[in-house]
Amino acid sequence: MELPGGNDHVHLNAYKPTVETNGKATSSSPLEESGYYGYFGGRFSVASSQAESTMTTYETLDAPPHYDFYANTEVWGRRRRFRPSLYQLYANPEDDSKPPLYEETPMQHLDRGETTDEDDEEEQGEPPAEPTRFGWVQGVMIRCMLNIWGVILFLRLPWITAQAGIGLTWVIILLSSTITGITGLSTSAIATNGKVKGGGTYFLISRSLGPELGGSIGLIFAFANAVAVAMHTVGFAETVTDLMSEHGAVMVDKLNDIRIIGVITVTCLLGISLAGMAWESKAQVVFFLVIMVSFASYIVGTIIPASPQKQAKGFFSYRADIFAQNFVPGWRGKEGSFFGMFSIFFPSATGILAGANISGDLKNPTVAIPKGTLLAIFFTTMSYLIISATIGSCVLRDASGVLNDTLTASSNPESCVGLGCQYGWDFSECIQNGTCTYGIMNYYQSMSLVAAFAPLITAGIFGATLSSALACLVSAPKVFQCLCKDRLYPLIGFFGKGYGKNDEPLRGYLLTYVIAACFILIGELNTIAPIISNFFLCSYTLINFSCFHASITNSPGWRPSFRFYNKWLSLLGAVCCVVIMFLLTWWAALIAFGIVFFLLGYTLYKKPAVNWGSSVQASSYSIALNQCVGLNQVEDHVKNYRPQCLVLTGPPSSRPALVDLVSCFTKSLSLMMCANVISGPDASVVQRETSEKHVTWLNHRKVKSFYRGVVSSDLRTGVNMLMQGAGLGRIKPNVLLLGFKTSWRSDSPQAAHDYIGILHDAFALQYGVCVLRMKEGLDISKQPQAHINPVFDEGPETACSTLSRSELRPSTVSTISSSPEPQLTTGFQKKQAKKTIDVYWLCDDGGLILLLPYLLTRRKRWSRCKVRVFVGGLPDKKEEQKQEVLALIKKFRLGFHDVEVLPDIYQNPQPMNVQLFENMVAQYRKDMNLQQDCGPTRVCDGPWMITEQDWERNKAKTLREIRLNEILQDYSREAALILVTMPVGRRGVCPSALYLAWLDFISHDLRPPVLLVRGNQENVLTFYCQ
């Protein structure tokens, strides 16, 4: 952009961003012509347009921070803003070339459906209906308190107080609340680490620990909530049935009456749920008010002086001596123990996730969930403590309920037993006989006895059971809907559909209703109840562990705004939840963990295509990093040598045979890295665009390999970069594998020279080198793509032409294909027949040529192949040399027993083969080409040219390589694989064309695949144990 000139002054106001007025820009800019400035030039502000108008800065595409840049959703009535890409910032605005494919430009967003200003004016209509959203009081606190309060509060807490005493009952309450409080803190931390959507407990765990554990917990948690609807409904039905029996009203019998009342009740609750969250929330408020009135009736009743009828049942209002006697334990029966009482009470402390389960219906979940959940735990804990202390201060443990059991003047005070004697009541007979029917030890309805108006306690029981049932009836479909939408499990996607402005899971409601009705019809839930409690505890365990795990991984993404948590406290909470699961019912705990592990195994096997940035991913990185750093302290030892392979595949899909062979001896054993060198003006674009596609191809092929692409001006430089820079610490390649360049005679001499230069560079960097040649070629791509450097392998040996160096330069980025790369089957993927793997161990390079076939035969598909080792020798010492080699191989414990000595390897080759070799290199013989006209593609004076001196100096080695091909033709025509010691040509002594001709002729006209192997002359095998 040119600077405006005028009187040699530069006015910064000329660069002030455009200010919008009523959606229209008040000034224009040349940048608007490109379509960028309309989105970036003046449409960003962190405050208001007034603040924007006062801001003075250069006119630039750089945008100040804005919410839209980080959000995944759009706000109705306002076009979403997009951050300018790096390409748009650094590219020349006068350049008309298209941006890279990976760049997201504003105009591309428009093409995908974003609207312009004119479209906004035409299409802007009525805003969508705002769904019902709840605050922290109505949405979380009241809902959690109602779910925590239950039948145990009204019917079992007085009995627990009688058994454990006020002191230990407080310990039980506080211990339970501590565990749920720790879980509440962990839930608050997770819920404030990012924007929370619908799905409740499942959403929190799955987005923190990943789909494996999150999916399993989501499924069983939704099922547990559905069955809990039946449990709470049956509790309500039993209370109604008892009231009916007291008045002599029976429909059929007690069991069938419970079924009938239960089904009718759950149907009514379903109607409230289907009416919408607004009606459901109003019903919860009504239940909450009923329970609060029942509490008030109870507290008032403790203050009112006791009537004779109530005194006969053990109620005497507040008495210090009653408090003192009930403060200590009074264990009775088989359940009379601390852990027995704890196991009965703890389920009443659960229900803290009722608010989190409707996270999608909260106005601000990150504020509502922590605040509402923790306050609900606090208030319910206080209510339990108060009721335990007051009931234990007012009511005796045992009373007969008979008005005539009073002390008279004729009664003997010494024979009177119990605290009632001090208040003029003699309950000695029932205490001694164990027949007392009243008192907090015997009468479960003690709160009704104490209350000022007993029916209000019954109403409180109704409110507690129905509110808990309604909360579970809403929670189960909400959690299940989110699980269905994630599609982690088959056949459940049908229930994920939502309806209405609140996206209500109506199908989920009906499914929950059917499950609840089925369990209500069973009627006997005593066996199911422990399993459900353990399912809830499983959820608490994983929530605490999620918080601990996210904290311990030190992931930068773990930044909860709720700071009042501790990772070790969360771990303690998780351990306590597991212990409590086994204390409650050990067999139910085993069932719960069995189901979790089964679903976990299924998810691990299916590997769903989701990426939520879980703490498991963060921990995997941390573990891998620590292990890699730890390897720096481990010294290399020959016993631990592994062939860590850098495979020059180009795009892996173009040379699947090379990938499959290397994978056979590196899978689950050592490092494999597929490498690609990309050249051209837009090579970096191609590299970024295709990397993920290549990794996906490797994963689909089940090849455990990394992929690394580099951008370089030429192949040799790129490979050198890879050899020096690939790897991490001690996990770095030590063997270079590449395909043989079959088209070296038809390609440019420089390309062939670079190919040999790669081998020399590998030797200089202490790499082992392997070159694979197949008769049908390695490159299966029908036509080489512009960005693929084809020097690794040029396809079938019959190819007579290939791309020149000038043709390697990509023309445009549009040549990149987004279609999936083919998965073609190669011979190395099939189970090999009973053939041989022939190893020509002609020169000792450290043992790499022996180690590779050993690793191959460990694979199932190669296990039927027999390894034969061929060595050179003398005719008169053939048997002796064979025994020496066998003894050496035996010490290596490789299991090779077939050794052949080749005394004829040192004979002269056939003249026709010598002539064939001379014809192969004739065009590179310098003395023979002196009188020839060297065209533009042939350079007669280069390091690849063979002088007469070079020819004579390397003649003996040349004849040996020609003779080696004859040996291979004679002995290994039917082999499954041939491994040959690769000769080494001296740099500066052996011209590159001659060296390449050696490699070509050794593997010439052989049907089996040939692998030329050369170690780095250091031992990779040892027969020592230290």
Side-chain angles (χ1 to χ4, degrees):
M1 183 171 59
E2 298 181 359
L3 297 176
N7 300 326
D8 298 326
H9 294 288
V10 177
H11 300 282
L12 296 183
N13 287 333
Y15 302 95
K16 188 168 70 173
T18 306
V19 181
E20 290 187 62
T21 304
N22 298 325
K24 299 296 182 179
T26 58
S27 63
S28 61
S29 167
L31 287 173
E32 289 184 289
E33 298 175 2
S34 64
Y36 296 161
Y37 187 74
Y39 286 80
F40 303 120
R43 294 178 179 263
F44 300 98
S45 67
V46 292
S48 63
S49 60
Q50 180 179 0
E52 186 177 344
S53 64
T54 60
M55 182 175 59
T56 299
T57 183
Y58 291 102
E59 184 174 42
T60 175
L61 295 183
D62 273 333
H66 197 277
Y67 174 86
D68 283 356
F69 300 161
Y70 301 92
N72 294 329
T73 56
E74 300 181 9
V75 179
W76 184 90
R78 175 170 61 83
R79 183 172 60 249
R80 185 180 173 188
R81 301 170 178 179
F82 298 96
R83 181 191 298 111
S85 68
L86 189 61
Y87 175 83
Q88 294 162 2
L89 294 178
Y90 77 77
N92 186 351
E94 298 179 358
D95 189 359
D96 295 332
S97 62
K98 294 182 179 180
L101 292 180
Y102 60 82
E103 292 288 359
E104 286 284 349
T105 65
M107 302 311 294
Q108 287 172 328
H109 287 288
L110 290 177
D111 294 339
R112 293 205 308 248
E114 301 292 338
T115 59
T116 59
D117 289 338
E118 292 76 8
D119 295 332
D120 287 342
E121 294 175 1
E122 294 176 2
E123 298 179 6
Q124 192 145 335
E126 291 295 325
E130 183 67 23
T132 304
R133 294 286 185 259
F134 306 107
W136 67 272
V137 176
Q138 187 177 359
V140 180
M141 190 185 75
I142 291 179
R143 190 176 298 274
C144 288
M145 292 177 70
L146 289 173
N147 216 26
I148 293 172
W149 287 328
V151 178
I152 290 178
L153 170 66
F154 293 96
L155 301 181
R156 291 294 182 270
L157 186 57
W159 175 71
I160 293 173
T161 304
Q163 288 273 4
I166 297 174
L168 285 182
T169 301
W170 276 34
V171 173
I172 291 172
I173 295 171
L174 293 175
L175 180 59
S176 302
S177 299
T178 299
I179 295 172
T180 56
I182 293 173
T183 306
L185 294 175
S186 301
T187 305
S188 301
I190 298 173
T192 57
N193 189 51
K195 190 174 182 179
V196 178
K197 299 181 180 179
T201 305
Y202 161 70
F203 185 88
L204 296 178
I205 295 178
S206 62
R207 270 52 176 181
S208 180
L209 283 180
E212 295 81 11
L213 285 172
S216 58
I217 284 298
L219 199 58
I220 65 173
F221 188 74
F223 177 76
N225 273 280
V227 180
V229 176
M231 291 182 59
H232 295 301
T233 305
V234 167
F236 168 79
E238 287 180 348
T239 305
V240 174
T241 304
D242 292 340
L243 290 175
M244 291 171 58
S245 62
E246 288 179 3
H247 296 82
V250 177
M251 290 182 287
V252 183
D253 54 54
K254 183 174 182 179
L255 180 59
N256 285 311
D257 286 355
I258 291 175
R259 291 171 176 170
I260 294 172
I261 296 172
V263 171
I264 294 174
T265 303
V266 77
T267 304
C268 295
L269 294 177
L270 175 65
I272 296 175
S273 301
L274 293 177
M277 286 298 298
W279 284 97
E280 186 271 345
S281 183
K282 292 175 182 178
Q284 294 284 26
V285 172
V286 172
F287 291 142
F288 180 76
L289 293 177
V290 169
I291 293 176
M292 295 307 295
V293 171
S294 68
F295 282 167
S297 174
Y298 165 77
I299 296 299
V300 171
T302 61
I303 302 173
I304 297 175
S307 63
Q309 290 80 5
K310 289 188 176 182
Q311 288 184 357
K313 296 179 180 180
F315 173 62
F316 294 93
S317 192
Y318 290 106
R319 304 282 180 166
D321 46 1
I322 296 179
F323 175 83
Q325 186 185 55
N326 289 339
F327 188 83
V328 296
W331 308 116
R332 296 182 192 177
K334 62 179 182 180
E335 295 176 341
S337 64
F338 177 84
F339 287 111
M341 294 300 104
F342 181 82
S343 64
I344 293 173
F345 174 81
F346 184 79
S348 68
T350 59
I352 62 173
L353 299 178
N357 286 337
I358 63 164
S359 55
D361 297 299
L362 300 175
K363 291 180 181 178
N364 190 352
T366 58
V367 174
I369 292 176
K371 196 173 183 180
T373 303
L374 295 177
L375 284 177
I377 294 173
F378 174 76
F379 287 131
T380 53
T381 302
M382 294 303 298
S383 65
Y384 282 129
L385 293 175
I386 291 172
I387 291 175
S388 173
T390 53
I391 199 77
S393 304
C394 299
V395 185
L396 298 175
R397 278 195 172 99
D398 298 289
S400 64
V402 180
L403 289 173
N404 293 330
D405 287 347
T406 57
L407 282 174
T408 61
S410 60
S411 301
N412 184 8
E414 295 181 357
S415 62
C416 186
V417 179
L419 194 60
C421 302
Q422 301 180 17
Y423 307 117
W425 293 87
D426 185 5
F427 304 131
S428 303
E429 183 179 355
C430 75
I431 291 175
Q432 293 173 351
N433 298 333
T435 58
C436 295
T437 56
Y438 289 93
I440 57 176
M441 183 67 79
N442 310 294
Y443 188 51
Y444 290 154
Q445 297 282 356
S446 295
M447 288 186 66
S448 298
L449 171 67
V450 175
F453 186 60
L456 288 178
I457 299 299
T458 304
I461 296 174
F462 289 172
T465 53
L466 293 178
S467 63
S468 297
L470 187 57
C472 293
L473 184 59
V474 171
S475 297
K478 294 285 186 180
V479 173
F480 193 59
Q481 181 187 34
C482 185
L483 179 64
C484 294
K485 287 183 176 180
D486 289 337
R487 300 187 179 276
L488 300 182
Y489 302 106
L491 307 178
I492 63 174
F494 172 79
F495 298 99
K497 183 176 177 57
Y499 297 87
K501 61 182 182 180
N502 273 56
D503 197 31
E504 294 290 347
L506 300 185
R507 297 175 180 177
Y509 282 131
L510 295 176
L511 177 64
T512 305
Y513 170 77
V514 171
I515 295 174
C518 291
F519 279 93
I520 289 173
L521 294 177
I522 292 174
E524 295 294 333
L525 296 178
N526 292 335
T527 304
I528 305 298
I531 299 179
I532 295 174
S533 297
N534 278 280
F535 281 171
F536 284 123
L537 281 170
C538 253
S539 304
Y540 297 167
T541 301
L542 285 181
I543 286 179
N544 284 307
F545 182 74
S546 298
C547 183
F548 165 77
H549 196 263
S551 302
I552 204 70
T553 54
N554 293 322
S555 172
W558 174 249
R559 301 185 303 274
S561 56
F562 183 84
R563 300 294 183 182
F564 304 101
Y565 74 96
N566 182 274
K567 58 185 176 184
W568 302 113
L569 199 61
S570 297
L571 179 62
L572 176 63
V575 173
C576 290
C577 288
V578 173
V579 172
I580 292 172
M581 288 176 65
F582 285 93
L583 287 178
L584 292 178
T585 315
W586 64 268
W587 57 266
L590 292 178
I591 291 176
F593 279 115
I595 295 175
V596 169
F597 288 135
F598 172 78
L599 295 174
L600 172 65
Y602 175 83
T603 313
L604 288 173
Y605 173 75
K606 297 298 290 185
K607 292 182 174 61
V610 294
N611 184 9
W612 296 324
S614 66
S615 60
V616 174
Q617 294 173 314
S619 67
S620 299
Y621 174 85
S622 297
I623 293 171
L625 181 62
N626 291 332
Q627 293 295 328
C628 287
V629 174
L631 283 177
N632 291 334
Q633 303 175 6
V634 179
E635 296 184 4
D636 292 333
H637 194 282
V638 63
K639 286 174 60 178
N640 296 323
Y641 174 86
R642 299 165 186 259
Q644 304 188 93
C645 302
L646 178 65
V647 192
L648 302 184
T649 59
S653 60
S654 65
R655 293 169 181 82
L658 184 59
V659 172
D660 293 336
L661 176 63
V662 179
S663 177
C664 287
F665 53 77
T666 61
K667 188 175 183 179
S668 301
L669 174 73
S670 59
L671 173 70
M672 176 180 174
M673 182 178 294
C674 295
N676 186 14
V677 179
I678 307 169
S679 60
D682 294 324
S684 60
V685 177
V686 179
Q687 155 64 12
R688 177 167 174 175
E689 178 65 22
T690 58
S691 292
E692 288 299 325
K693 186 167 65 173
H694 298 327
V695 173
T696 302
W697 184 88
L698 291 169
N699 292 337
H700 286 173
R701 205 172 183 83
K702 296 182 180 179
V703 174
K704 295 184 178 181
S705 171
F706 296 98
Y707 170 81
R708 186 72 178 96
V710 296
V711 177
S712 177
S713 58
D714 62 90
L715 175 69
R716 181 176 179 181
T717 303
V719 174
N720 204 301
M721 292 164 54
L722 286 165
M723 288 192 292
Q724 296 187 65
L728 182 65
R730 294 190 181 275
I731 305 179
K732 58 183 179 182
N734 53 25
V735 177
L736 178 70
L737 289 105
L738 66 163
F740 180 72
K741 186 173 178 58
T742 56
S743 60
W744 64 278
R745 284 179 289 169
S746 57
D747 205 350
S748 64
Q750 184 62 49
H753 180 71
D754 287 345
Y755 181 86
I756 294 301
I758 291 173
L759 303 184
H760 286 304
D761 292 342
F763 293 143
L765 293 171
Q766 289 295 297
Y767 270 69
V769 176
C770 299
V771 178
L772 176 64
R773 183 174 188 178
M774 299 178 66
K775 186 175 181 61
E776 62 274 17
L778 292 176
D779 192 350
I780 53 89
S781 58
K782 296 181 179 179
Q783 53 181 9
Q785 299 178 14
H787 63 278
I788 299 175
N789 202 322
V791 179
F792 300 142
D793 173 72
E794 286 306 324
E797 296 182 14
T798 57
C800 60
S801 64
T802 185
L803 297 177
S804 64
R805 285 182 62 85
S806 61
E807 292 176 297
L808 298 181
R809 187 177 298 114
S811 55
T812 62
V813 185
S814 60
T815 59
I816 303 172
S817 173
S818 59
S819 59
E821 297 173 318
Q823 293 284 351
L824 301 181
T825 302
T826 66
F828 296 123
Q829 287 182 300
K830 302 175 182 178
K831 189 174 181 63
Q832 302 296 318
K834 287 186 177 180
K835 294 185 178 182
T836 61
I837 300 176
D838 291 348
V839 180
Y840 288 83
W841 192 18
L842 306 178
C843 303
D844 197 328
D845 60 354
L848 181 63
I849 197 172
L850 293 180
L851 181 61
L852 295 183
Y854 168 74
L855 297 177
L856 278 178
T857 53
R858 292 174 61 184
R859 301 296 175 190
K860 187 176 181 180
R861 69 184 67 163
W862 290 89
S863 59
R864 300 170 63 187
C865 293
K866 175 184 177 182
V867 178
R868 298 190 301 177
V869 181
F870 296 88
V871 295
L874 300 175
D876 55 342
K877 295 183 178 181
K878 180 178 179 180
E879 191 62 30
E880 180 181 348
Q881 290 176 336
K882 177 179 179 180
Q883 294 303 321
E884 288 179 359
V885 174
L886 270 174
L888 180 60
I889 293 177
K890 185 177 181 180
K891 289 184 177 181
F892 289 144
R893 308 172 303 284
L894 297 174
F896 304 161
H897 305 290
D898 195 342
V899 175
E900 294 284 342
V901 178
L902 304 173
D904 53 349
I905 194 173
Y906 300 111
Q907 297 178 2
N908 289 327
Q910 297 293 330
M912 57 178 296
N913 290 329
V914 176
Q915 184 62 43
L916 182 62
F917 182 85
E918 291 179 351
N919 294 338
M920 180 184 294
V921 299
Q923 59 185 341
Y924 292 98
R925 296 285 297 273
K926 189 172 183 179
D927 296 337
M928 298 175 62
N929 289 303
L930 287 178
Q931 306 300 325
Q932 297 180 8
D933 182 20
C934 296
T937 61
R938 292 291 163 199
V939 181
C940 295
D941 188 12
W944 47 83
M945 297 304 292
I946 306 171
T947 64
E948 191 63 28
Q949 183 181 6
D950 296 330
W951 181 263
E952 292 298 328
R953 185 187 302 164
N954 296 281
K955 187 173 183 179
K957 201 166 187 177
T958 299
L959 295 176
R960 181 179 177 182
E961 309 309 339
I962 298 173
R963 176 58 184 161
L964 177 57
N965 177 259
E966 296 175 356
I967 296 293
L968 297 179
Q969 298 283 0
D970 293 339
Y971 287 89
S972 300
R973 280 188 174 274
E974 302 299 326
L977 178 66
I978 304 173
L979 289 89
V980 186
T981 302
M982 185 173 69
V984 178
R986 288 183 176 273
R987 179 180 290 176
V989 176
C990 179
S992 58
L994 180 59
Y995 186 18
L996 197 48
W998 290 350
L999 303 182
D1000 190 350
F1001 206 88
I1002 290 174
S1003 55
H1004 176 67
D1005 198 25
L1006 288 170
R1007 186 169 61 182
V1010 179
L1011 187 64
L1012 302 171
V1013 181
R1014 169 62 70 168
N1016 63 356
Q1017 302 303 113
E1018 295 183 0
N1019 290 346
V1020 301
L1021 297 173
T1022 180
F1023 40 76
Y1024 295 107
C1025 62
Q1026 64 180 7

